[in-house]
Amino acid sequence: MRLIEALYLVFSGTLAAAGLSMVWFAVRAYRNTGRSAMLYLSVGFGLVVAAALGTTVLAFLTGFEQTRTLLTANYLLTTTGYIFVMYSIVIRN
């Protein structure tokens, strides 16, 4: 494994750990308060984590081929996740 691939794994793992922590905090806040904004927040961060992990796994499985497809799918999921995050900020309960 090359250095750049190892760094990619480390940064993807760090993003996943931080993102899953945010999902857990948001789910816990939703259970405690019942505010739907926290549910949307958890879905948003969940999609961001799914994009990061999915792209990393598929990149290694495909030997880093088809990078345009991987990046397009990553940006689609990440953008959708951030739309949920933004919606959770502006929604009124």
Coordinates of all heavy atoms in Angstrom, one line a residue:
M1 N 0.9 -1.2 0.0 CA 0.0 0.0 0.0 C 0.9 1.2 0.0 O 1.8 1.3 0.8 CB -0.9 0.0 1.2 CG -1.8 1.2 1.3 SD -2.9 1.3 2.8 CE -3.8 -0.2 2.6
R2 N 0.5 2.2 -0.9 CA 1.3 3.4 -1.0 C 0.9 4.4 0.1 O -0.1 4.2 0.7 CB 1.1 4.0 -2.3 CG 1.6 3.2 -3.5 CD 1.5 3.8 -4.8 NE 0.1 4.2 -5.1 CZ -0.3 4.8 -6.2 NH1 0.6 5.0 -7.1 NH2 -1.5 5.1 -6.3
L3 N 1.8 5.3 0.4 CA 1.5 6.3 1.4 C 0.2 7.1 1.2 O -0.6 7.2 2.1 CB 2.7 7.3 1.5 CG 2.5 8.4 2.5 CD1 2.4 7.9 3.9 CD2 3.7 9.4 2.4
I4 N -0.1 7.4 0.0 CA -1.3 8.2 -0.3 C -2.5 7.4 0.0 O -3.5 7.9 0.5 CB -1.3 8.8 -1.8 CG1 -2.4 9.8 -2.0 CG2 -1.4 7.6 -2.8 CD1 -2.2 11.1 -1.3
E5 N -2.5 6.1 -0.3 CA -3.6 5.2 0.0 C -3.8 5.1 1.5 O -4.9 5.1 2.0 CB -3.4 3.9 -0.7 CG -3.4 3.9 -2.2 CD -3.1 2.6 -2.8 OE1 -2.6 1.7 -2.1 OE2 -3.2 2.5 -4.1
A6 N -2.7 5.0 2.2 CA -2.8 4.9 3.7 C -3.4 6.1 4.3 O -4.2 6.1 5.2 CB -1.4 4.6 4.3
L7 N -2.9 7.3 3.8 CA -3.5 8.5 4.3 C -5.0 8.7 4.0 O -5.7 9.2 4.8 CB -2.7 9.7 3.6 CG -1.3 9.9 4.1 CD1 -0.6 11.0 3.3 CD2 -1.3 10.3 5.6
Y8 N -5.4 8.2 2.8 CA -6.8 8.2 2.4 C -7.6 7.4 3.4 O -8.7 7.8 3.8 CB -6.9 7.7 1.0 CG -8.3 7.7 0.4 CD1 -9.0 8.9 0.4 CD2 -8.9 6.6 -0.2 CE1 -10.3 9.0 -0.1 CE2 -10.1 6.6 -0.7 CZ -10.9 7.8 -0.7 OH -12.1 7.9 -1.2
L9 N -7.1 6.2 3.7 CA -7.8 5.4 4.7 C -7.9 6.1 6.1 O -8.9 6.0 6.7 CB -7.0 4.0 4.9 CG -7.4 2.9 3.9 CD1 -6.5 1.7 4.1 CD2 -8.8 2.6 3.9
V10 N -6.8 6.7 6.5 CA -6.8 7.3 7.8 C -7.8 8.5 7.9 O -8.6 8.6 8.8 CB -5.3 7.8 8.2 CG1 -5.4 8.8 9.4 CG2 -4.4 6.7 8.4
F11 N -7.8 9.3 6.8 CA -8.7 10.5 6.8 C -10.1 10.0 6.6 O -11.0 10.6 7.2 CB -8.3 11.5 5.7 CG -7.0 12.2 6.0 CD1 -6.0 12.3 5.1 CD2 -6.8 12.8 7.3 CE1 -4.8 12.9 5.4 CE2 -5.6 13.5 7.6 CZ -4.6 13.5 6.6
S12 N -10.4 9.0 5.9 CA -11.7 8.5 5.7 C -12.2 7.9 7.1 O -13.4 8.1 7.4 CB -11.8 7.4 4.6 OG -11.5 7.9 3.4
G13 N -11.4 7.2 7.7 CA -11.7 6.7 9.1 C -12.0 7.8 10.1 O -12.9 7.7 10.9
T14 N -11.2 8.8 10.0 CA -11.4 9.9 11.0 C -12.7 10.6 10.7 O -13.5 11.0 11.6 CB -10.2 10.9 10.8 OG1 -9.0 10.3 11.1 CG2 -10.4 12.1 11.8
L15 N -13.0 10.8 9.4 CA -14.3 11.5 9.0 C -15.4 10.6 9.4 O -16.4 11.1 9.9 CB -14.3 11.7 7.5 CG -15.7 12.3 7.0 CD1 -15.8 13.7 7.3 CD2 -15.8 12.0 5.5
A16 N -15.3 9.3 9.2 CA -16.4 8.4 9.6 C -16.6 8.4 11.1 O -17.8 8.4 11.6 CB -16.1 7.0 9.1
A17 N -15.5 8.4 11.9 CA -15.7 8.4 13.4 C -16.3 9.7 13.8 O -17.3 9.7 14.7 CB -14.3 8.2 14.0
A18 N -15.9 10.8 13.3 CA -16.5 12.1 13.7 C -17.9 12.2 13.2 O -18.8 12.6 14.0 CB -15.7 13.2 13.1
G19 N -18.2 11.8 12.0 CA -19.6 11.8 11.5 C -20.5 10.9 12.3 O -21.6 11.3 12.6
L20 N -20.1 9.7 12.6 CA -20.9 8.8 13.3 C -21.2 9.3 14.8 O -22.2 9.1 15.3 CB -20.3 7.4 13.4 CG -20.4 6.7 12.0 CD1 -19.7 5.3 12.1 CD2 -21.9 6.5 11.6
S21 N -20.2 10.0 15.3 CA -20.4 10.7 16.6 C -21.5 11.7 16.5 O -22.4 11.8 17.4 CB -19.1 11.3 17.1 OG -18.1 10.4 17.3
M22 N -21.5 12.5 15.5 CA -22.5 13.5 15.2 C -23.9 12.9 15.1 O -24.9 13.4 15.6 CB -22.2 14.4 14.0 CG -20.9 15.2 14.2 SD -21.0 16.4 15.6 CE -22.3 17.5 14.9
V23 N -23.9 11.7 14.3 CA -25.2 11.0 14.1 C -25.7 10.6 15.5 O -26.9 10.7 15.8 CB -25.0 9.8 13.2 CG1 -26.2 8.9 13.2 CG2 -24.7 10.3 11.8
W24 N -24.8 10.0 16.3 CA -25.2 9.5 17.6 C -25.7 10.6 18.5 O -26.8 10.5 19.2 CB -24.1 8.8 18.3 CG -24.4 8.2 19.6 CD1 -25.2 7.1 19.8 CD2 -24.0 8.6 20.9 NE1 -25.3 6.8 21.2 CE2 -24.6 7.8 21.9 CE3 -23.3 9.7 21.3 CZ2 -24.4 8.0 23.2 CZ3 -23.1 9.9 22.7 CH2 -23.6 9.0 23.6
F25 N -25.0 11.8 18.5 CA -25.5 12.9 19.3 C -26.9 13.4 18.8 O -27.7 13.7 19.7 CB -24.5 14.1 19.2 CG -23.2 13.8 19.9 CD1 -22.0 14.2 19.4 CD2 -23.1 13.1 21.1 CE1 -20.8 14.0 20.0 CE2 -21.9 12.9 21.8 CZ -20.7 13.3 21.2
A26 N -27.1 13.5 17.5 CA -28.3 14.0 17.0 C -29.5 13.0 17.3 O -30.6 13.4 17.6 CB -28.2 14.2 15.5
V27 N -29.2 11.7 17.2 CA -30.3 10.7 17.5 C -30.6 10.8 19.0 O -31.8 10.7 19.4 CB -29.8 9.3 17.1 CG1 -30.7 8.2 17.7 CG2 -29.7 9.1 15.6
R28 N -29.6 10.9 19.8 CA -29.8 11.0 21.3 C -30.6 12.3 21.6 O -31.6 12.3 22.4 CB -28.5 11.0 22.0 CG -28.7 10.9 23.5 CD -27.4 10.8 24.2 NE -26.7 12.1 24.1 CZ -25.5 12.3 24.7 NH1 -24.9 11.4 25.4 NH2 -25.0 13.5 24.5
A29 N -30.3 13.4 20.9 CA -31.1 14.6 21.1 C -32.5 14.5 20.6 O -33.4 15.0 21.3 CB -30.4 15.8 20.4
Y30 N -32.7 13.8 19.5 CA -34.0 13.5 19.0 C -34.9 12.7 20.0 O -36.0 13.0 20.3 CB -34.0 12.8 17.7 CG -35.4 12.4 17.2 CD1 -36.3 13.4 16.8 CD2 -35.7 11.1 17.1 CE1 -37.5 13.0 16.3 CE2 -37.0 10.7 16.7 CZ -37.9 11.6 16.3 OH -39.1 11.3 15.9
R31 N -34.2 11.7 20.6 CA -35.0 10.9 21.5 C -35.3 11.6 22.8 O -36.3 11.4 23.4 CB -34.1 9.6 21.9 CG -34.1 8.6 20.7 CD -33.5 7.3 21.0 NE -33.0 7.1 22.4 CZ -32.0 6.4 22.7 NH1 -31.2 5.8 21.8 NH2 -31.6 6.2 24.0
N32 N -34.4 12.5 23.2 CA -34.6 13.3 24.4 C -35.6 14.4 24.2 O -36.4 14.8 25.2 CB -33.3 13.9 25.0 CG -32.4 12.8 25.5 OD1 -32.9 11.8 25.9 ND2 -31.1 13.1 25.6
T33 N -35.6 15.1 23.1 CA -36.5 16.2 22.8 C -37.7 16.0 21.9 O -38.6 16.7 22.0 CB -35.7 17.4 22.3 OG1 -35.2 17.0 20.9 CG2 -34.5 17.7 23.1
G34 N -37.6 15.0 21.1 CA -38.6 14.8 20.1 C -38.6 15.8 19.0 O -39.6 15.8 18.1
R35 N -37.6 16.6 18.9 CA -37.6 17.6 17.8 C -37.2 17.0 16.5 O -36.1 16.3 16.4 CB -36.6 18.7 18.2 CG -37.0 19.5 19.4 CD -36.1 20.7 19.6 NE -36.0 21.6 18.5 CZ -35.0 22.3 18.2 NH1 -33.9 22.3 18.9 NH2 -35.0 23.1 17.1
S36 N -38.0 17.2 15.5 CA -37.7 16.6 14.2 C -36.4 17.1 13.5 O -35.8 16.4 12.7 CB -38.9 16.8 13.2 OG -39.1 18.1 13.0
A37 N -36.0 18.3 13.9 CA -34.8 18.9 13.4 C -33.6 17.9 13.7 O -32.7 17.8 12.9 CB -34.5 20.3 13.9
M38 N -33.6 17.3 14.8 CA -32.5 16.4 15.2 C -32.5 15.2 14.4 O -31.5 14.6 14.1 CB -32.6 16.1 16.7 CG -32.3 17.3 17.6 SD -30.7 18.0 17.4 CE -31.1 19.5 16.6
L39 N -33.7 14.7 14.0 CA -33.8 13.6 13.1 C -33.2 13.9 11.7 O -32.4 13.1 11.2 CB -35.2 13.1 13.0 CG -35.5 11.9 12.2 CD1 -34.8 10.7 12.8 CD2 -37.0 11.6 12.1
Y40 N -33.5 15.1 11.2 CA -33.0 15.5 9.9 C -31.5 15.7 10.0 O -30.8 15.3 9.0 CB -33.6 16.8 9.4 CG -35.1 16.6 9.0 CD1 -36.1 17.3 9.7 CD2 -35.5 15.7 8.0 CE1 -37.4 17.1 9.4 CE2 -36.8 15.6 7.7 CZ -37.8 16.2 8.3 OH -39.1 16.1 8.0
L41 N -31.0 16.2 11.1 CA -29.6 16.3 11.3 C -28.9 15.0 11.3 O -27.8 14.8 10.7 CB -29.3 17.1 12.6 CG -27.9 17.5 12.9 CD1 -27.4 18.5 11.9 CD2 -27.8 18.0 14.3
S42 N -29.4 14.0 12.0 CA -28.8 12.7 12.0 C -28.8 12.0 10.6 O -27.8 11.4 10.2 CB -29.5 11.8 13.0 OG -30.8 11.5 12.6
V43 N -29.9 12.2 9.8 CA -29.9 11.7 8.5 C -28.9 12.3 7.6 O -28.1 11.7 6.9 CB -31.3 11.8 7.9 CG1 -31.3 11.5 6.4 CG2 -32.3 11.0 8.6
G44 N -28.7 13.7 7.8 CA -27.7 14.4 7.0 C -26.3 13.9 7.3 O -25.6 13.6 6.3
F45 N -26.0 13.8 8.5 CA -24.6 13.4 8.8 C -24.4 11.9 8.5 O -23.3 11.5 8.1 CB -24.3 13.6 10.3 CG -23.9 15.0 10.6 CD1 -24.6 15.8 11.5 CD2 -22.8 15.6 10.0 CE1 -24.3 17.1 11.8 CE2 -22.5 16.9 10.3 CZ -23.2 17.6 11.2
G46 N -25.5 11.1 8.6 CA -25.4 9.7 8.1 C -25.1 9.6 6.7 O -24.3 8.7 6.3
L47 N -25.7 10.4 5.8 CA -25.4 10.4 4.4 C -24.0 10.9 4.1 O -23.3 10.3 3.2 CB -26.4 11.3 3.7 CG -27.8 10.8 3.5 CD1 -28.8 11.8 2.9 CD2 -27.8 9.5 2.6
V48 N -23.5 11.8 4.8 CA -22.1 12.3 4.6 C -21.1 11.1 5.0 O -20.2 10.9 4.3 CB -21.8 13.5 5.5 CG1 -20.3 13.9 5.5 CG2 -22.6 14.7 5.0
V49 N -21.4 10.4 6.1 CA -20.6 9.3 6.5 C -20.7 8.2 5.4 O -19.7 7.6 5.0 CB -20.9 8.8 7.9 CG1 -20.2 7.5 8.2 CG2 -20.6 9.8 8.9
A50 N -21.9 7.9 4.9 CA -22.1 6.9 3.9 C -21.3 7.2 2.7 O -20.7 6.3 2.0 CB -23.6 6.7 3.6
A51 N -21.3 8.5 2.3 CA -20.6 8.9 1.1 C -19.1 8.6 1.3 O -18.4 8.1 0.4 CB -20.8 10.4 0.8
A52 N -18.5 9.0 2.4 CA -17.1 8.9 2.7 C -16.7 7.4 2.7 O -15.7 7.0 2.1 CB -16.7 9.6 4.0
L53 N -17.5 6.6 3.5 CA -17.1 5.2 3.6 C -17.3 4.5 2.3 O -16.5 3.6 1.9 CB -17.9 4.5 4.7 CG -17.5 5.0 6.1 CD1 -18.4 4.3 7.2 CD2 -16.1 4.6 6.4
G54 N -18.4 4.7 1.6 CA -18.7 4.1 0.4 C -17.7 4.4 -0.7 O -17.3 3.5 -1.4
T55 N -17.3 5.6 -0.8 CA -16.3 6.0 -1.8 C -15.0 5.3 -1.4 O -14.3 4.8 -2.3 CB -16.1 7.5 -1.8 OG1 -17.4 8.1 -2.1 CG2 -15.1 7.9 -2.8
T56 N -14.6 5.3 -0.2 CA -13.3 4.6 0.2 C -13.3 3.2 -0.1 O -12.4 2.6 -0.7 CB -13.1 4.8 1.7 OG1 -13.0 6.2 2.0 CG2 -11.7 4.2 2.1
V57 N -14.4 2.5 0.3 CA -14.5 1.0 0.0 C -14.5 0.7 -1.5 O -13.7 -0.1 -2.0 CB -15.7 0.4 0.7 CG1 -16.0 -1.0 0.2 CG2 -15.6 0.5 2.2
L58 N -15.3 1.5 -2.2 CA -15.3 1.2 -3.7 C -14.0 1.6 -4.4 O -13.7 1.0 -5.4 CB -16.5 2.0 -4.3 CG -17.9 1.4 -3.9 CD1 -19.0 2.3 -4.5 CD2 -18.0 0.0 -4.5
A59 N -13.4 2.6 -3.9 CA -12.1 3.0 -4.5 C -11.1 1.9 -4.4 O -10.4 1.5 -5.3 CB -11.6 4.3 -3.8
F60 N -11.0 1.3 -3.2 CA -10.1 0.1 -3.0 C -10.5 -1.1 -3.8 O -9.7 -1.9 -4.3 CB -9.8 -0.2 -1.6 CG -8.9 0.8 -0.9 CD1 -9.3 1.9 -0.2 CD2 -7.5 0.6 -1.1 CE1 -8.4 2.8 0.4 CE2 -6.6 1.5 -0.5 CZ -7.0 2.6 0.2
L61 N -11.8 -1.4 -3.8 CA -12.3 -2.5 -4.5 C -12.1 -2.4 -6.0 O -11.9 -3.5 -6.7 CB -13.8 -2.8 -4.2 CG -14.1 -3.3 -2.8 CD1 -15.7 -3.4 -2.7 CD2 -13.5 -4.6 -2.6
T62 N -12.2 -1.2 -6.6 CA -12.0 -1.0 -8.0 C -10.6 -0.7 -8.4 O -10.3 -0.4 -9.6 CB -13.0 0.1 -8.5 OG1 -12.7 1.3 -7.9 CG2 -14.4 -0.3 -8.3
G63 N -9.7 -0.7 -7.5 CA -8.3 -0.3 -7.8 C -8.2 1.1 -8.2 O -7.3 1.5 -9.0
F64 N -9.0 2.0 -7.7 CA -9.0 3.4 -7.9 C -9.3 3.7 -9.4 O -8.8 4.7 -10.0 CB -7.7 4.1 -7.4 CG -7.6 4.1 -5.9 CD1 -7.1 3.1 -5.3 CD2 -8.1 5.2 -5.2 CE1 -7.0 3.1 -3.9 CE2 -8.0 5.2 -3.9 CZ -7.5 4.2 -3.2
E65 N -10.0 2.8 -10.0 CA -10.5 3.1 -11.4 C -11.8 3.8 -11.3 O -12.5 3.8 -10.3 CB -10.6 1.8 -12.2 CG -9.3 1.0 -12.3 CD -8.3 1.7 -13.2 OE1 -8.7 2.4 -14.2 OE2 -7.1 1.7 -12.9
Q66 N -12.3 4.3 -12.4 CA -13.6 4.9 -12.5 C -13.8 6.1 -11.5 O -14.8 6.2 -10.8 CB -14.7 3.9 -12.4 CG -14.6 2.8 -13.4 CD -15.6 1.7 -13.1 OE1 -16.4 1.8 -12.2 NE2 -15.6 0.7 -13.9
T67 N -12.7 6.9 -11.4 CA -12.7 8.0 -10.4 C -13.9 9.0 -10.6 O -14.4 9.5 -9.6 CB -11.4 8.7 -10.3 OG1 -11.1 9.2 -11.6 CG2 -10.3 7.8 -9.8
R68 N -14.2 9.2 -11.8 CA -15.3 10.2 -12.1 C -16.6 9.7 -11.5 O -17.4 10.4 -10.9 CB -15.5 10.4 -13.6 CG -14.4 11.2 -14.2 CD -14.6 11.5 -15.7 NE -13.5 12.2 -16.2 CZ -13.3 12.3 -17.5 NH1 -14.1 11.8 -18.4 NH2 -12.2 13.0 -17.9
T69 N -16.9 8.4 -11.7 CA -18.1 7.8 -11.1 C -18.1 7.8 -9.6 O -19.1 8.2 -9.0 CB -18.3 6.4 -11.6 OG1 -18.3 6.4 -13.1 CG2 -19.6 5.8 -11.1
L70 N -17.0 7.5 -9.0 CA -16.8 7.5 -7.6 C -17.0 8.9 -7.0 O -17.7 9.1 -6.0 CB -15.5 7.0 -7.1 CG -15.3 5.5 -7.3 CD1 -13.8 5.1 -7.0 CD2 -16.2 4.7 -6.3
L71 N -16.4 9.9 -7.6 CA -16.5 11.3 -7.2 C -17.9 11.8 -7.4 O -18.4 12.5 -6.5 CB -15.5 12.2 -7.9 CG -14.0 11.9 -7.5 CD1 -13.1 12.8 -8.3 CD2 -13.8 12.2 -6.0
T72 N -18.5 11.5 -8.5 CA -19.9 11.9 -8.7 C -20.9 11.4 -7.6 O -21.7 12.1 -7.1 CB -20.4 11.5 -10.1 OG1 -19.5 12.1 -11.1 CG2 -21.8 12.0 -10.4
A73 N -20.7 10.1 -7.4 CA -21.6 9.5 -6.3 C -21.3 10.1 -5.0 O -22.2 10.3 -4.2 CB -21.4 7.9 -6.3
N74 N -20.0 10.3 -4.7 CA -19.6 10.9 -3.4 C -20.3 12.3 -3.3 O -20.8 12.6 -2.2 CB -18.1 11.0 -3.3 CG -17.6 11.7 -2.0 OD1 -17.9 12.8 -1.8 ND2 -17.0 10.9 -1.2
Y75 N -20.1 13.1 -4.3 CA -20.7 14.5 -4.2 C -22.2 14.5 -4.1 O -22.8 15.3 -3.4 CB -20.2 15.3 -5.3 CG -18.8 15.7 -5.2 CD1 -17.8 15.6 -6.2 CD2 -18.3 16.3 -4.0 CE1 -16.5 16.0 -6.1 CE2 -17.0 16.6 -3.8 CZ -16.1 16.5 -4.9 OH -14.8 16.9 -4.7
L76 N -22.8 13.5 -4.8 CA -24.3 13.4 -4.7 C -24.8 13.1 -3.3 O -25.6 13.8 -2.8 CB -24.8 12.4 -5.7 CG -26.3 12.1 -5.7 CD1 -27.1 13.3 -6.2 CD2 -26.6 10.9 -6.5
L77 N -24.2 12.1 -2.7 CA -24.5 11.7 -1.3 C -24.2 12.8 -0.3 O -24.9 13.2 0.6 CB -23.9 10.4 -0.9 CG -24.5 9.1 -1.5 CD1 -23.7 7.9 -1.1 CD2 -25.9 9.0 -0.9
T78 N -23.0 13.4 -0.5 CA -22.5 14.4 0.4 C -23.4 15.7 0.3 O -23.8 16.2 1.4 CB -21.1 14.8 0.2 OG1 -20.3 13.6 0.3 CG2 -20.6 15.9 1.1
T79 N -23.7 16.1 -0.9 CA -24.6 17.3 -1.1 C -26.0 17.0 -0.5 O -26.5 17.9 0.2 CB -24.7 17.6 -2.6 OG1 -23.4 17.9 -3.0 CG2 -25.6 18.8 -2.8
T80 N -26.5 15.8 -0.7 CA -27.8 15.5 -0.1 C -27.8 15.5 1.4 O -28.7 16.0 2.0 CB -28.3 14.1 -0.6 OG1 -28.3 14.1 -2.1 CG2 -29.7 13.8 -0.1
G81 N -26.7 15.0 1.9 CA -26.5 15.0 3.4 C -26.5 16.4 3.9 O -27.1 16.7 4.9
Y82 N -25.7 17.3 3.3 CA -25.7 18.7 3.7 C -27.0 19.4 3.6 O -27.3 20.3 4.3 CB -24.5 19.4 3.1 CG -23.2 19.0 3.7 CD1 -22.1 18.6 2.9 CD2 -23.0 19.0 5.1 CE1 -20.9 18.2 3.5 CE2 -21.8 18.7 5.6 CZ -20.7 18.2 4.8 OH -19.5 17.9 5.4
I83 N -27.7 19.1 2.6 CA -29.1 19.7 2.4 C -29.9 19.3 3.6 O -30.7 20.1 4.2 CB -29.7 19.2 1.1 CG1 -29.0 19.9 -0.1 CG2 -31.2 19.5 1.1 CD1 -29.4 19.4 -1.4
F84 N -29.9 18.0 4.1 CA -30.6 17.6 5.3 C -30.1 18.4 6.5 O -30.9 18.8 7.4 CB -30.4 16.1 5.5 CG -31.5 15.3 4.9 CD1 -31.2 14.8 3.6 CD2 -32.7 15.0 5.5 CE1 -32.2 14.0 3.0 CE2 -33.7 14.3 4.9 CZ -33.4 13.7 3.6
V85 N -28.8 18.6 6.6 CA -28.2 19.4 7.7 C -28.7 20.8 7.7 O -29.1 21.3 8.7 CB -26.6 19.3 7.7 CG1 -26.1 20.3 8.7 CG2 -26.1 17.9 8.0
M86 N -28.7 21.4 6.5 CA -29.2 22.8 6.4 C -30.6 22.9 6.7 O -31.1 23.8 7.4 CB -28.9 23.4 5.0 CG -27.4 23.6 4.7 SD -27.1 24.4 3.2 CE -28.0 23.5 2.0
Y87 N -31.4 21.9 6.3 CA -32.8 21.9 6.6 C -33.1 21.8 8.1 O -34.0 22.4 8.6 CB -33.5 20.8 5.8 CG -35.0 20.7 6.0 CD1 -35.8 21.7 5.4 CD2 -35.6 19.7 6.7 CE1 -37.2 21.7 5.6 CE2 -37.0 19.7 6.9 CZ -37.8 20.7 6.4 OH -39.1 20.7 6.5
S88 N -32.3 21.0 8.7 CA -32.4 20.8 10.2 C -32.2 22.1 10.9 O -32.7 22.4 12.0 CB -31.5 19.7 10.7 OG -30.2 20.2 10.8
I89 N -31.4 23.0 10.3 CA -31.1 24.3 10.9 C -32.2 25.3 10.8 O -32.6 26.0 11.7 CB -29.8 24.9 10.4 CG1 -28.6 24.0 10.8 CG2 -29.6 26.3 10.9 CD1 -27.3 24.3 10.1
V90 N -32.9 25.3 9.6 CA -33.9 26.3 9.3 C -35.3 25.8 9.7 O -36.2 26.7 9.7 CB -33.9 26.7 7.8 CG1 -32.5 27.3 7.5 CG2 -34.2 25.5 6.9
I91 N -35.5 24.5 9.9 CA -36.9 24.0 10.2 C -37.3 24.6 11.6 O -36.6 24.8 12.5 CB -36.9 22.5 10.2 CG1 -38.3 22.0 10.3 CG2 -36.1 21.9 11.4 CD1 -38.4 20.5 10.2
R92 N -38.6 24.9 11.7 CA -39.2 25.3 12.9 C -40.1 24.2 13.5 O -40.9 23.6 12.8 CB -40.0 26.5 12.7 CG -39.3 27.7 12.2 CD -39.8 29.0 12.9 NE -39.1 30.1 12.3 CZ -38.2 30.8 13.1 NH1 -38.0 30.4 14.3 NH2 -37.6 31.8 12.6
N93 N -39.9 23.8 14.7 CA -40.6 22.8 15.4 C -41.8 23.4 16.2 O -41.7 24.3 16.8 CB -39.8 21.9 16.3 CG -38.9 21.0 15.5 OD1 -39.3 20.5 14.4 ND2 -37.7 20.7 16.0

